[in-house]
Amino acid sequence: MLNTTSDKGGVALQKNLNLVQTRLHLASKIFRFFTNLRGRKGVDAEGFQILSAFILAGLAELQRQQTKQFSQDTFVASLTATALSEMTGIPRQTVRRKLERMEKLGLVARQEDSGYVMTTYHPDLDLIHVIQTSLEASSGLSAVALTA
């Protein structure tokens, strides 16, 4: 279940999430997110999983550095095809093909050590960002934090 908290009233947001209209709006946003990802970027479900692994790795690195506030300017994520395969369960050869495509799209860059790096945070590729902005828009609240 999705738990949400807000500086301006987690109870109001939780009630808002129970509204059919809010859930429909959120489901619609998520559906459009995946449709646009596949249509505009040519990224399928496995590609999204790989991009999500980069976002996860970048956020984990920021946390390791004890960075409190997320900033797009400090986002960097570096992973190998092997690490991505282990993280996602996608065969390594498939990961390599997807990474080559993502490199052509400018989403990641190949490193000399056979790894790949994502140096630009793409909010339009981050499902958490899409959900957060959707919840903020539908609830009228700001600073929504999502937790599992």
Side-chain angles (χ1 to χ4, degrees):
M1 179 174 178
L2 181 69
N3 294 320
T4 58
T5 58
S6 170
D7 295 337
K8 295 185 179 182
V11 174
L13 183 55
Q14 185 60 46
K15 285 181 182 177
N16 199 13
L17 283 175
N18 289 332
L19 296 175
V20 171
Q21 181 179 3
T22 301
R23 287 181 174 270
L24 178 62
H25 176 74
L26 188 54
S28 175
K29 279 282 203 186
I30 293 169
F31 181 81
R32 279 190 306 243
F33 169 80
F34 283 107
T35 301
N36 288 336
L37 192 60
R38 185 165 184 98
R40 284 191 355 245
K41 303 279 188 193
V43 176
D44 62 8
E46 288 177 332
F48 173 71
Q49 223 179 335
I50 292 167
L51 290 171
S52 294
F54 274 104
I55 291 170
L56 180 63
L59 293 173
E61 179 60 21
L62 288 172
Q63 184 175 7
R64 190 188 68 74
Q65 296 171 4
Q66 298 181 353
T67 304
K68 300 281 186 222
Q69 276 302 108
F70 174 74
S71 170
Q72 294 183 25
D73 301 330
T74 59
F75 181 87
V76 175
S78 182
L79 293 165
T80 64
T82 301
L84 285 162
S85 178
E86 291 171 0
M87 288 174 75
T88 63
I90 301 169
R92 192 171 64 227
Q93 289 300 339
T94 302
V95 168
R96 284 195 177 119
R97 282 194 310 274
K98 305 259 181 215
L99 286 169
E100 288 170 5
R101 170 111 174 104
M102 290 175 197
E103 184 178 19
K104 288 177 184 171
L105 292 169
L107 300 173
V108 297
R110 189 175 191 118
Q111 295 178 306
E112 291 180 20
D113 65 356
S114 77
Y116 287 82
V117 64
M118 179 186 279
T119 58
T120 303
Y121 171 77
H122 302 273
D124 59 328
L125 301 176
D126 184 356
L127 185 57
I128 299 300
H129 175 79
V130 171
I131 292 171
Q132 183 175 2
T133 55
S134 180
L135 287 173
E136 288 172 354
S138 67
S139 69
L141 300 173
S142 59
V144 176
L146 301 176
T147 59

